[in-house]
């Protein structure tokens, strides 16, 4: 840690691995098993402990609690891990917990994520790349969140829930069922309110592909037949559309999990 800038009030474990260009600000505490890759910055008053690895260029703001034992009564001190990707921003008072023996021993945050103030990522959650969690978002244990998902403020996500890539979850939502890729959900309890068309356009998805996804959405969430039948029909009709196939594969991957549905049939803004 020869070129790391460590404030004299910080406490850094003797065996912590500190990369080049790391900045550790006032009153931070870094545990013995922690790995901070190059150019990580702990602004001040950050506590990082446990078997925690932080990717290059990530910045962590005051009073964040990172890698301390999970809030799970089944946890008994197992040497589980928390891995945070590169270039993430973790804001004030966020809490991120490691995994447990009952969930794969790993909590993982992807690259380029923004986790805002007082957000929480629980044990064994797997978070994709470019995910944004606004203030006070709570991700419960064992959840899986795909790439490019955005959560509005004060959302909570029930344990074991999956949120597909490019989904948008509106503020103050309580999500207790899986959200399809490209979907948009809102409410307490949350319901599917359509597709995240704004996000699809911002990310420059092909217009014709979006048009076909909208048609498939209407088919999948129509009232005729069973959901399984409608999904199979959409898979066959839109064989060449990658967006539709993402949705089909997502639904088929966990048929024992509840899928969020529209309250009054399919709606598209």
């Amino acid at each position: 840690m020869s070129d790391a800038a460590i404030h004299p009030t910080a406490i850094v474990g003797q065996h912590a691995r500190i990369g080049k260009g790391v900045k550790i600000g006032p009153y931070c505490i870094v545990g013995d098993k922690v790995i901070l890759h190059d150019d990580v910055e702990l602004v001040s008053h950050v506590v990082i402990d446990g078997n925690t690895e932080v990717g290059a260029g990530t910045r962590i703001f005051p009073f964040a609690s990172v890698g301390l034992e999970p809030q799970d009564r089944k946890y008994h001190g197992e040497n589980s891990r928390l891995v945070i990707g590169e270039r993430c921003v973790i804001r004030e008072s966020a809490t991120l917990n490691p995994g447990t023996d009952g969930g794969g021993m790993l909590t993982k945050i992807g690259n380029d994520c923004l986790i805002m103030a007082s957000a929480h990522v629980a044990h064994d959650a797997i978070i994709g790349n470019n995910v944004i969690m606004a203030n006070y978002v709570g991700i419960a244990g064992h959840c899986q969140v795909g790439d490019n998902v955005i959560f509005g403020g004060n959302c909570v996500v029930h344990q074991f829930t999956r949120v597909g890539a490019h989904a948008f979850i509106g503020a103050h939502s309580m999500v207790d069922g899986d959200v399809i890729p490209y979907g948009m959900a809102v409410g307490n309890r949350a319901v599917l309110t359509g597709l995240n068309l704004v996000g699809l356009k911002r990310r420059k998805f092909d217009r014709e592909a979006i048009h076909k996804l909208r048609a498939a959405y209407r088919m999948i969430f129509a009232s005729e037949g069973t959901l399984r039948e409608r999904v199979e029909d959409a898979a066959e009709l839109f064989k060449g559309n990658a967006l539709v196939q993402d949705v089909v594969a997502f639904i088929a991957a966990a048929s024992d999990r509840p899928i969020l549905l529209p309250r009054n049939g399919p709606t598209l803004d």
Side-chain angles (χ1 to χ4, degrees):
M1 66 174 81
S2 59
D3 69 342
I6 302 175
H7 194 274
T9 61
I11 300 174
V12 179
Q14 182 179 355
H15 301 292
R17 292 165 55 187
I18 309 299
K20 297 178 180 178
V22 169
K23 298 177 182 178
I24 300 177
Y27 301 102
C28 292
I29 299 176
V30 180
D32 260 345
K33 296 180 180 179
V34 171
I35 302 172
L36 303 180
H37 287 279
D38 295 351
D39 300 314
V40 166
E41 180 181 4
L42 312 183
V43 175
S44 75
H45 298 82
V46 175
V47 178
I48 302 186
D49 205 356
N51 192 0
T52 298
E53 181 175 354
V54 182
T58 286
R59 301 181 71 214
I60 305 179
F61 282 73
F63 305 107
S65 174
V66 179
L68 278 75
E69 66 180 63
Q71 299 173 128
D72 184 349
R73 298 183 72 176
K74 299 185 293 298
Y75 177 78
H76 297 294
E78 53 264 33
N79 190 29
S80 56
R81 302 170 63 211
L82 168 65
V83 176
I84 299 170
E86 298 180 353
R87 300 174 303 278
C88 293
V89 175
I90 300 169
R91 295 305 304 246
E92 294 82 357
S93 300
T95 54
L96 289 76
N97 294 157
T100 66
D101 186 52
M105 297 285 284
L106 173 67
T107 302
K108 186 174 182 181
I109 313 293
N111 299 327
D112 301 297
C113 292
L114 171 57
I115 299 175
M116 297 189 197
S118 298
H120 175 65
V121 179
H123 59 90
D124 305 293
I126 304 297
I127 310 297
N129 301 317
N130 298 295
V131 171
I132 297 175
M133 300 180 193
N135 298 338
Y136 298 100
V137 168
I139 307 295
H142 310 279
C143 288
Q144 298 179 32
V145 177
D147 295 344
N148 299 295
V149 174
I150 297 176
F151 295 91
N154 294 282
C155 291
V156 290
V157 182
H158 191 276
Q159 61 190 20
F160 293 100
T161 295
R162 297 178 305 146
V163 181
H166 300 277
F168 181 90
I169 312 299
H172 299 276
S173 294
M174 195 289 157
V175 182
D176 62 353
D178 291 351
V179 181
I180 60 169
Y182 317 107
M184 186 163 57
V186 66
N188 182 10
R189 307 290 176 122
V191 296
L192 201 61
T193 58
L195 294 170
N196 182 16
L197 297 176
V198 172
L200 287 165
K201 292 172 183 175
R202 284 177 177 170
R203 293 169 191 138
K204 302 188 185 306
F205 282 89
D206 178 74
R207 177 176 291 187
E208 181 62 23
I210 295 173
H211 178 75
K212 291 180 178 179
L213 178 62
R214 295 180 70 174
Y217 177 92
R218 292 189 180 96
M219 175 183 289
I220 291 170
F221 296 107
S223 58
E224 299 82 10
T226 66
L227 177 61
R228 179 176 179 178
E229 291 170 341
R230 298 191 299 267
V231 168
E232 290 173 351
D233 290 344
E236 180 65 24
L237 185 60
F238 299 97
K239 278 184 178 179
N241 187 287
L243 303 186
V244 175
Q245 296 306 317
D246 285 345
V247 174
V248 167
F250 181 89
I251 295 173
S255 57
D256 59 334
R257 290 285 307 155
I259 297 285
L260 286 195
L261 301 172
R263 179 174 286 126
N264 297 309
T267 59
L268 288 168
D269 296 329

